[in-house]
Amino acid sequence: MTTLSTINPAIRAPRLGLPKLVWALAATHFVGRAGGVVRSFLVLYLTQAQHLSPATAGAVVAAVGLGDIGSQLLGGWLGDRIGRRNTMLVGFVGAAVALAALGSADSMPEIWAAAVGVGLTIELFRPAGSAAVADLPTRQRIRAFGLLYWAANLGFSVATVMAGILAKYGYGLLFWINVVASLIAALIVWRQVPETRPAGSTRERRALLPVVLRDRLMIAMMVIHVGYFTLFLQTFTTLPLLMTADGLGPATYGAVLALNGIAIVALQPLAVRLLAGRNGSTVSAVSMLLVGVGAALGAVSHGTAGFAASVLIWTLGQIGIAVRFGDTFADLAPAELRGGYMGLASTTWSVGAVLGPLAGTALLALAGPAVLGMACAIGGIALFVAQRALAPALRRRIAS
């Protein structure tokens, strides 16, 4: 029987109970996020360096976002076809090429093509990496997914600080830092990450779409998580508007939002230990409720303390979801379709990233903070009830 330890002897030595494969993947997540300095400043680059109108720049950024959705699906599909390792290599190297092209593009056709290329490649590694973790024994998955999430958030925190400092030296420097980071991540994959895809001919693998369309539990979980990510991600667009309306400036908003990253880095390892043995459906349901309550509190808060409390509450929910998200969807996936299933799971985040800002800002503008807060609270309760309703079916699927 082929196991991870027989695939590559280098991954036999565990650290903190996790194989070296997971630490290598965590390194790629950290490097990719720490070096991912372009995206946060892309609008400024397009408007200031390329002299595009704000509307056109926003459309280019949206093209990258739409490409993200495609990359999640493509990354999962490729992970099942050409392997997890090869897919990650294609993603990181492709992202380096696309970022270099975007940074040197001068015409609109070139900018559009490069933007789509960045979107399609920059997240390609995520579902493939998730599938590699899903290939691990069940007892290791929760800690492994938790480590990847922690490493990515630590890298993101580094990137936000570093990008702000380096941007004053020119946007071209940000592009080259991002390119080098992608190539370093590719090198880590090439040297340290073995292939984990279950053995078997690709001709024997079932097509993803027919299987998913018959999998009502998977569809229900995807719908619930699209709803969750829509609720969660709208906070990043409505919170600055709410704080500005309350007379608080950008510096205060930055300090309050920084609590999110600090809490994740500090509490995520503890949350993994506390929640690993708990019922996954219960953890997810309570976490969704916390996000709804936190978002509702933020909508009706006044003053820095109230907004800070709201961020901390929904961050606790965010951490809870992160701890069990990958493990839950991994349990739903057939072995030969883990890449595709993890890609679909990641897509729920991408769809929420599109719907959340649109829904949150529209509701705030049309109905005001009180109605937005009520909608967030109701949304959190509805997600809690829906997730709990699926608990028996999830238990049966895991048991089988």
Side-chain angles (χ1 to χ4, degrees), residues 113-187:
V116 173
V118 169
L120 285 173
T121 56
I122 203 164
E123 294 291 332
L124 205 63
F125 77 96
R126 184 180 296 278
S130 295
V133 172
D135 294 331
L136 291 171
T138 302
R139 66 183 182 277
Q140 294 180 337
R141 287 177 187 166
I142 295 176
R143 283 176 293 165
F145 279 120
L147 178 62
L148 297 191
Y149 184 75
W150 182 85
N153 276 278
L154 181 61
F156 179 76
S157 299
V158 171
T160 53
V161 174
M162 183 169 61
I165 296 173
L166 296 178
K168 62 183 179 181
Y169 297 106
Y171 295 111
L173 178 61
L174 298 184
F175 277 96
W176 284 115
I177 289 174
N178 216 152
V179 168
V180 171
S182 294
L183 293 176
I184 292 174
L187 181 62

Side-chain angles (χ1 to χ4, degrees), residues 82-387:
I82 66 173
R84 286 61 157 131
R85 181 175 183 270
N86 289 335
T87 301
M88 285 185 275
L89 287 173
V90 169
F92 283 124
V93 174
V97 173
L99 285 162
L102 182 59
S104 59
D106 292 323
S107 66
M108 282 309 301
E110 292 175 343
I111 291 174
W112 282 113
V116 173
V118 169
L120 285 173
T121 56
I122 203 164
E123 294 291 332
L124 205 63
F125 77 96
R126 184 180 296 278
S130 295
V133 172
D135 294 331
L136 291 171
T138 302
R139 66 183 182 277
Q140 294 180 337
R141 287 177 187 166
I142 295 176
R143 283 176 293 165
F145 279 120
L147 178 62
L148 297 191
Y149 184 75
W150 182 85
N153 276 278
L154 181 61
F156 179 76
S157 299
V158 171
T160 53
V161 174
M162 183 169 61
I165 296 173
L166 296 178
K168 62 183 179 181
Y169 297 106
Y171 295 111
L173 178 61
L174 298 184
F175 277 96
W176 284 115
I177 289 174
N178 216 152
V179 168
V180 171
S182 294
L183 293 176
I184 292 174
L187 181 62
I188 294 172
V189 172
W190 181 51
R191 295 296 300 273
Q192 298 293 329
V193 176
E195 182 54 64
T196 67
R197 182 181 57 162
S201 170
T202 55
R203 293 182 180 179
E204 299 172 359
R205 301 180 189 277
R206 293 176 289 173
L208 175 64
L209 185 58
V211 175
V212 171
L213 290 178
R214 292 193 300 268
D215 192 342
R216 295 182 179 180
L217 182 56
M218 177 64 176
I219 293 173
M221 285 288 289
M222 289 179 62
V223 170
I224 289 174
H225 280 80
V226 167
Y228 159 73
F229 284 118
T230 298
L231 172 62
F232 168 59
L233 293 171
Q234 64 82 30
T235 59
F236 289 90
T237 50
T238 56
L239 181 62
L241 299 176
L242 290 163
M243 292 184 68
T244 299
D246 201 51
L248 301 174
T252 305
Y253 167 67
V256 168
L257 191 60
L259 294 173
N260 174 251
I262 293 171
I264 290 172
V265 172
L267 299 178
Q268 177 79 10
L270 176 62
V272 170
R273 291 195 293 270
L274 291 176
L275 302 178
R278 306 286 181 178
N279 180 273
S281 186
T282 300
V283 171
S284 297
V286 173
S287 299
M288 292 174 182
L289 181 61
L290 283 173
V291 170
V293 171
L297 176 61
V300 298
S301 287
H302 295 285
T304 304
F307 290 115
S310 74
V311 169
L312 288 175
I313 291 172
W314 57 249
T315 297
L316 292 176
Q318 177 189 7
I319 291 172
I321 290 293
V323 168
R324 299 309 301 262
F325 178 82
D327 178 63
T328 299
F329 278 98
D331 283 335
L332 293 177
E336 77 277 15
L337 294 176
R338 283 184 186 136
Y341 266 61
M342 299 311 292
L344 288 170
S346 297
T347 303
T348 62
W349 184 94
S350 299
V351 175
V354 174
L355 297 180
L358 294 175
T361 53
L363 192 57
L364 179 61
L366 294 175
V371 174
L372 174 63
M374 185 180 300
C376 290
I378 293 173
I381 294 170
L383 290 168
F384 173 86
V385 172
Q387 185 65 50

Side-chain angles (χ1 to χ4, degrees), residues 37-106:
V37 292
V38 167
R39 201 156 184 180
S40 298
F41 284 79
L42 186 54
V43 169
L44 295 179
Y45 164 73
L46 293 170
T47 54
Q48 296 178 8
Q50 293 290 355
H51 308 293
L52 301 182
S53 69
T56 303
V60 172
V61 173
V64 176
L66 290 174
D68 273 356
I69 298 176
S71 73
Q72 306 289 355
L73 298 172
L74 182 61
W77 184 83
L78 287 175
D80 288 331
R81 292 303 184 276
I82 66 173
R84 286 61 157 131
R85 181 175 183 270
N86 289 335
T87 301
M88 285 185 275
L89 287 173
V90 169
F92 283 124
V93 174
V97 173
L99 285 162
L102 182 59
S104 59
D106 292 323

